Amino acid sequence: MAALLMPLAAMGEPLRSDDQERLAALDASLGRALRAAFAGGGADDLALLRDGLRGTAMAPEAAMDLLPGDWNCRMIKLGRNLPIVAYQPFRCRANGDGGFEKLTGSQRTRGALHLVEGQLVYLGTGFVAGETPPDYADLPEAVEPQSVPQFMPEIGLVEMVSETAGRIIFPQPHLESETNLLVLTRD
């Protein structure tokens, strides 16, 4: 699968300018979100957050080799509306060609993994279950969070820390939170 990992420009898929800005602001966004979570979060949610952020990220090529297959994935929303909200586990799947999808829950995402400036990055479309989302490249330039159907561009930093654990950090999502953390686990 690592052989399929190509720089974004080589694939002809432009990175939206607002998504470039959100990715560049990841550390600041995550810092604000963590401050809010630790200031007002409950012990159980904070334990899930700590576990989800534990571990050093592997090189993108090694991460891509480990990703294909089914995953348990837990969304943890941090900051903005509430300090922290940790949802029950959902199901996610990474396929062998770099695609990734959250398969269950009311809020879903579908997209692909790309190499961007030496980092593994997820570019996708957030949508409500039951809708058929457009590809990331087909989303309109202007984002209207209150539109129906609700299709949002999503960008996240993908980090694998072992064969059975990883995470996607979504800085400044268009809805609800300062940062979203999708924690990936499997047995």
Side-chain angles (χ1 to χ4, degrees):
M1 186 150 147
L4 298 171
L5 190 60
M6 294 186 291
L8 199 56
M11 298 183 68
E13 185 159 11
L15 187 60
R16 300 163 54 93
S17 61
D18 62 325
D19 288 340
Q20 288 175 337
E21 292 168 9
R22 292 192 299 155
L23 188 60
L26 185 139
D27 288 336
S29 174
L30 183 58
R32 287 189 299 274
L34 290 173
R35 286 183 66 187
F38 282 103
D44 291 344
D45 288 345
L46 292 174
L48 292 170
L49 173 62
R50 182 192 65 236
D51 290 346
L53 290 173
R54 181 176 285 144
T56 302
M58 298 177 174
E61 294 79 11
M64 284 294 288
D65 287 340
L66 296 177
L67 268 164
D70 292 334
W71 292 89
N72 297 313
C73 53
R74 181 187 299 264
M75 181 62 77
I76 303 174
K77 295 187 174 204
L78 306 165
R80 206 182 298 166
N81 291 345
L82 294 171
I84 182 171
V85 177
Y87 292 88
Q88 293 300 312
F90 300 105
R91 289 182 326 122
C92 291
R93 178 173 296 137
N95 61 36
D97 65 0
F100 183 87
E101 183 170 6
K102 182 175 175 279
L103 301 167
T104 59
S106 60
Q107 294 180 347
R108 301 195 183 176
T109 189
R110 180 183 306 158
L113 308 174
H114 303 276
L115 188 61
V116 178
E117 298 178 0
Q119 299 179 69
L120 188 56
V121 173
Y122 170 78
L123 296 177
T125 302
F127 63 101
V128 175
E131 299 289 346
T132 302
D135 290 338
Y136 174 88
D138 296 330
L139 289 166
E141 187 62 34
V143 174
E144 179 51 55
Q146 305 311 318
S147 65
V148 176
Q150 191 177 60
F151 299 131
M152 298 289 115
E154 297 193 319
I155 187 165
L157 178 64
V158 181
E159 297 181 333
M160 293 300 300
V161 298
S162 75
E163 293 179 6
T164 59
R167 58 189 166 246
I168 304 176
I169 305 168
F170 296 90
Q172 301 174 341
H174 289 281
L175 301 170
E176 300 173 346
S177 49
E178 174 66 34
T179 298
N180 288 343
L181 176 67
L182 188 64
V183 179
L184 307 173
T185 59
R186 65 178 164 200
D187 300 325

